[in-house]
Amino acid sequence: MKTFRLSKLFPSLLLGSVLLTAAEGAASDRVDLAEFLDEDSTFLFLVRDMPELESGFSESAFGELMENEDLRQFLSSIVDRDVDAEMDESADGGKPEGLFGDVAKEQWEQYGHLFDGALAFGLTAPSFDGKNFEEWSPDKGGHFFILGEFAGTEEDFSEFLDPWSDERPENLLPGQEPYLYDEDFMGYTLHVEEVLNEEGALVRRNGWALVDGILVLAEPMESLRDVVARIADPSEGGGIGQSDRFLDVKDRAGDGDVLLYLDLEELARIMGKGMEIGMNRSLAEGGNPLGIEPAKVVEAIGLGALDSLHLSVNFGAEESVVRGGLSYSEKKGVLNLLSYGEGPIPYSSLPPEDAVSSSVGRVRWNEVWSGIKEMLGEISPNLTIMLEMTRKNFERTTGVDFERSLIGALGEETVTYATLRETSDPEGDDLMLLDSVIAIQLRDPNGFNLAIEGVKGMFGLDAFFEETNFGGATIFTSAQAMPGDPESYVSYALTGDYFLFATGKGGLLQDAVSRMNGRDSGFWNRPDVQEVVAELPPEAVGASYSDLGLLLGNMIDVAIAVRSQDPEAEEIPEGVRNLSKGDLFPHFVITGQVPDEDGFFFESLILPMERLEQ
């Protein structure tokens, strides 16, 4: 039987299953493959049902997007070059088949329908001894898993594996030799591969098996045997599917077509150890006048409080629904930035009707500031002393109480938005630039105004701004445009009970003040927007909106610009260069934020722009 290098097959299965093939046929009785994966799995990607995924994805906005040949060509050039082409050179100088290549596509077209049910990808992070990561080897370190319901035979899968088989010289390094054999385990046949280098040392050992209609691929062999044992005898237990943490994630994620899960507790432990090593090295080289202890830094920023991260997607022709969240044991360190207030979402009239993005919600700025102070104090008492000295100096110079007049004056209601500003560069090319505004409700407008004037006086910024009055508001605009953008200015205003800050074209805040005076205008008050908002979770305390077509276009432009700087990159075709223009992805996303004591969660609706036709 054919065997394989799992690191090569993993991305082909993951991308190919969604983008290259249709798993035909009716949905099968669903098997929860998480029941068979290691309880300490660090990363999971679960497909609920391949036929349903293919059907939902192909009918969704994303399926339509992936039918764009120019986009597929662009993605192929990125993935095949940056992933596959960076894999080891083969013995004969060739390179492995690309993820979007003809061979991969042909294999999926011929055998993809045999993956007729659930599919799962798993990874267990390597252990960390505080000094060095253990080698990623057959006997220690991280483990790979791929599980899937499979309607074919062992011969079918062996033939599917053929392009990635280590029996092919192009899939091996010079001097490497594969050894294939079968092993009997609990009445099932394990197809095993060992690869040795030219010194005869073991490079890797992995294998696969077909167990009661479930295909299992794993590295190292210990993992394969563990998974096979759980399938053969479910009473063995030990799978992540029954862990309290994962069950809570599934409950929050709902019945999505795909589910991504990350065990942040283990990842945070590894990251923390890495941070300690890096900081110890830096402090040893540069001195440590603040008396910072790296272990306390890791604890103070809240890494130890992280539990898990999840994201689920349910694809549909009319709408796609994304649910996700960050779970934690306590709100600590940087997690204090997620301090949201209670009450109904403040659907402000400030964002204009043509906003390309906007967010509205309630932020407890005093809790954010208290959390930052607490974090700095835990990192080092010296940082608290420095912060206190800075505060006293500010208050002595300005005569303003920093915490009461500046931080304490901030209310909870917070609104942001961005609008598109079309302009042209000197060569006549159209450019898409964004103007942005943030508004924060004020508890004490007079105290906040005194604090702002104190800051300006302390740093000599009075001459930097020009003052104008408009609609009962005082607007301060920078006398000079921002560097690199002659049409963009910094401005702020105090109007009624709000502080507004903007970067963009002149007159941006004048428009904002006009809408605020109107009270019943703006993006969030549009009837079509209110209709969509009604579909968000009723317990949401914040909402956001983004034009996905514009966002995708900007991302493509950036990617093209980066690729254009690579002298070894192939010339980018004109069709690819024009991807960001026109209606490549005429859809938007609207999201409701739902924080609770266990974490921060959200639900997003991805809908066609025609839903917002007025």
Side-chain angles (χ1 to χ4, degrees):
M1 292 290 178
K2 302 291 185 184
T3 55
F4 58 96
R5 183 174 179 182
L6 193 56
S7 59
K8 290 182 180 180
L9 188 60
F10 185 95
S12 292
L13 277 166
L14 182 60
L15 293 178
S17 61
V18 177
L19 304 177
L20 297 178
T21 188
E24 301 172 356
S28 62
D29 293 334
R30 292 171 184 157
V31 174
D32 187 0
L33 297 179
E35 300 280 348
F36 312 128
L37 291 169
D38 281 357
E39 187 173 7
D40 58 353
S41 295
T42 311
F43 164 86
L44 291 180
F45 182 83
L46 304 174
V47 178
R48 181 185 59 183
D49 188 276
M50 284 293 292
E52 288 188 4
L53 172 62
E54 190 282 327
S55 176
F57 183 85
S58 63
E59 294 175 0
S60 73
F62 300 96
E64 181 179 346
L65 178 67
M66 290 310 303
E67 290 179 0
N68 186 297
E69 289 301 323
D70 289 326
L71 179 61
R72 290 173 65 91
Q73 181 182 5
F74 183 53
L75 291 176
S76 178
S77 69
I78 294 176
V79 175
D80 291 348
R81 174 179 171 81
D82 295 342
V83 179
D84 286 334
E86 289 182 3
M87 290 182 178
D88 299 330
E89 293 281 353
S90 67
D92 59 3
K95 291 184 180 293
E97 169 68 23
L99 299 183
F100 292 87
D102 292 337
V103 172
K105 185 174 182 180
E106 289 172 3
Q107 291 298 96
W108 274 107
E109 288 176 346
Q110 183 173 356
Y111 299 101
H113 67 282
L114 297 176
F115 294 88
D116 65 342
L119 196 64
F121 304 86
L123 173 66
T124 301
S127 58
F128 192 68
D129 61 9
K131 294 182 179 179
N132 298 292
F133 280 103
E134 294 181 346
E135 291 183 7
W136 198 281
S137 74
D139 302 313
K140 56 185 177 180
H143 296 187
F144 279 120
F145 307 90
I146 299 177
L147 277 72
E149 292 182 85
F150 190 71
T153 64
E154 291 186 339
E155 287 73 18
D156 290 328
F157 188 67
S158 182
E159 293 175 4
F160 170 78
L161 282 177
D162 183 65
W164 300 280
S165 170
D166 277 332
E167 289 184 288
R168 290 177 172 267
E170 63 267 24
N171 291 331
L172 294 170
L173 285 172
Q176 290 185 343
E177 290 290 338
Y179 294 88
L180 284 60
Y181 60 91
D182 291 343
E183 174 185 321
D184 181 70
F185 181 76
M186 298 183 69
Y188 299 97
T189 301
L190 309 183
H191 304 286
V192 187
E193 173 205 63
E194 293 182 356
V195 174
L196 306 181
N197 61 22
E198 54 189 1
E199 286 82 26
L202 181 66
V203 175
R204 60 181 174 274
R205 181 190 293 115
N206 50 237
W208 63 275
L210 187 59
V211 184
D212 300 335
I214 298 177
L215 189 65
V216 184
L217 306 90
E219 181 179 338
M221 285 299 299
E222 173 191 352
S223 300
L224 179 61
R225 297 188 189 97
D226 287 345
V227 174
V228 170
R230 293 191 194 101
I231 299 174
D233 184 5
S235 64
E236 284 277 323
I240 194 174
Q242 290 302 315
S243 70
D244 292 338
R245 178 180 294 171
F246 187 75
L247 288 173
D248 180 64
V249 164
K250 288 186 66 177
D251 182 59
R252 292 183 182 276
D255 200 22
D257 291 316
V258 298
L259 171 64
L260 172 69
Y261 166 84
L262 283 173
D263 179 351
L264 294 182
E265 183 177 10
E266 178 62 18
L267 287 177
R269 185 185 68 81
I270 295 173
M271 289 173 57
K273 289 293 185 181
M275 287 178 59
E276 285 186 40
I277 293 171
M279 284 188 289
N280 278 322
R281 184 181 299 115
S282 298
L283 293 174
E285 295 173 353
N288 189 7
L290 294 176
I292 294 175
E293 297 181 28
K296 289 185 177 180
V297 174
V298 172
E299 176 65 20
I301 63 177
L303 276 181
L306 298 175
D307 280 343
S308 66
L309 178 73
H310 73 270
L311 185 73
S312 74
V313 185
N314 200 351
F315 298 100
E318 300 298 325
E319 69 175 22
S320 294
V321 181
V322 182
R323 296 183 180 91
L326 173 69
S327 299
Y328 45 77
S329 57
E330 63 175 319
K331 194 185 318 185
K332 184 176 182 179
V334 295
L335 295 176
N336 281 299
L337 298 177
L338 302 175
S339 295
Y340 285 81
E342 299 177 353
I345 299 174
Y347 290 114
S348 170
S349 61
L350 176 61
E353 293 187 0
D354 61 348
V356 295
S357 69
S358 179
S359 67
V360 287
R362 301 180 186 277
V363 179
R364 291 175 172 165
W365 294 104
N366 58 331
E367 291 185 8
V368 172
W369 173 244
S370 296
I372 291 174
K373 289 197 301 178
E374 180 182 351
M375 179 178 67
L376 293 177
E378 290 186 17
I379 290 175
S380 172
N382 292 327
L383 290 176
T384 300
I385 295 173
M386 290 180 60
L387 185 64
E388 185 65 12
M389 291 175 60
T390 302
R391 182 186 67 82
K392 289 182 177 180
N393 181 55
F394 172 82
E395 293 178 355
R396 184 170 53 252
T397 303
T398 64
V400 175
D401 186 316
F402 176 81
E403 292 197 347
R404 183 176 63 83
S405 298
L406 194 61
I407 303 300
L410 297 176
E412 292 186 355
E413 184 177 329
T414 304
V415 181
T416 70
Y417 71 84
T419 53
L420 184 63
R421 169 163 46 103
E422 294 187 3
T423 184
S424 297
D425 66 12
E427 298 181 358
D429 294 332
D430 291 334
L431 299 175
M432 291 191 299
L433 301 175
L434 294 180
D435 297 328
S436 60
V437 174
I438 179 172
I440 302 177
Q441 184 185 28
L442 297 176
R443 303 179 191 273
D444 181 6
N446 291 330
F448 189 80
N449 183 49
L450 289 175
I452 291 295
E453 291 301 314
V455 171
K456 289 166 60 178
M458 183 176 182
F459 293 100
L461 297 177
D462 289 303
F464 183 76
F465 290 97
E466 297 178 346
E467 179 180 339
T468 58
N469 293 311
F470 180 86
T474 303
I475 300 174
F476 297 86
T477 305
S478 59
Q480 297 182 347
M482 297 177 64
D485 186 354
E487 298 179 356
S488 186
Y489 297 83
V490 174
S491 57
Y492 76 91
L494 291 168
T495 172
D497 295 336
Y498 291 87
F499 168 68
L500 280 64
F501 180 84
T503 58
K505 66 179 182 181
L508 194 59
L509 289 187
Q510 282 84 343
D511 294 340
V513 170
S514 296
R515 284 189 302 277
M516 293 184 74
N517 291 336
R519 292 295 177 186
D520 58 353
S521 61
F523 175 81
W524 294 104
N525 290 313
R526 287 170 44 176
D528 50 359
V529 175
Q530 291 181 338
E531 182 180 336
V532 174
V533 164
E535 301 178 25
L536 294 177
E539 64 272 26
V541 300
S544 63
Y545 160 85
S546 291
D547 181 334
L548 291 179
L550 179 66
L551 179 62
L552 179 62
N554 284 339
M555 291 174 61
I556 290 175
D557 280 342
V558 171
I560 289 176
V562 172
R563 297 288 291 178
S564 299
Q565 300 301 315
D566 185 353
E568 298 182 3
E570 297 179 2
E571 184 177 352
I572 300 175
E574 189 64 26
V576 173
R577 290 186 176 277
N578 292 329
L579 276 174
S580 63
K581 302 175 182 178
D583 297 327
L584 176 64
F585 194 60
H587 290 75
F588 67 93
V589 58
I590 197 159
T591 300
Q593 291 96 31
V594 186
D596 67 21
E597 61 182 8
D598 298 319
F600 180 80
F601 308 95
F602 69 88
E603 180 175 316
S604 298
L605 307 177
I606 298 175
L607 301 163
M609 272 296 181
E610 61 191 33
R611 283 287 302 270
L612 295 185
E613 293 180 352
Q614 300 185 68

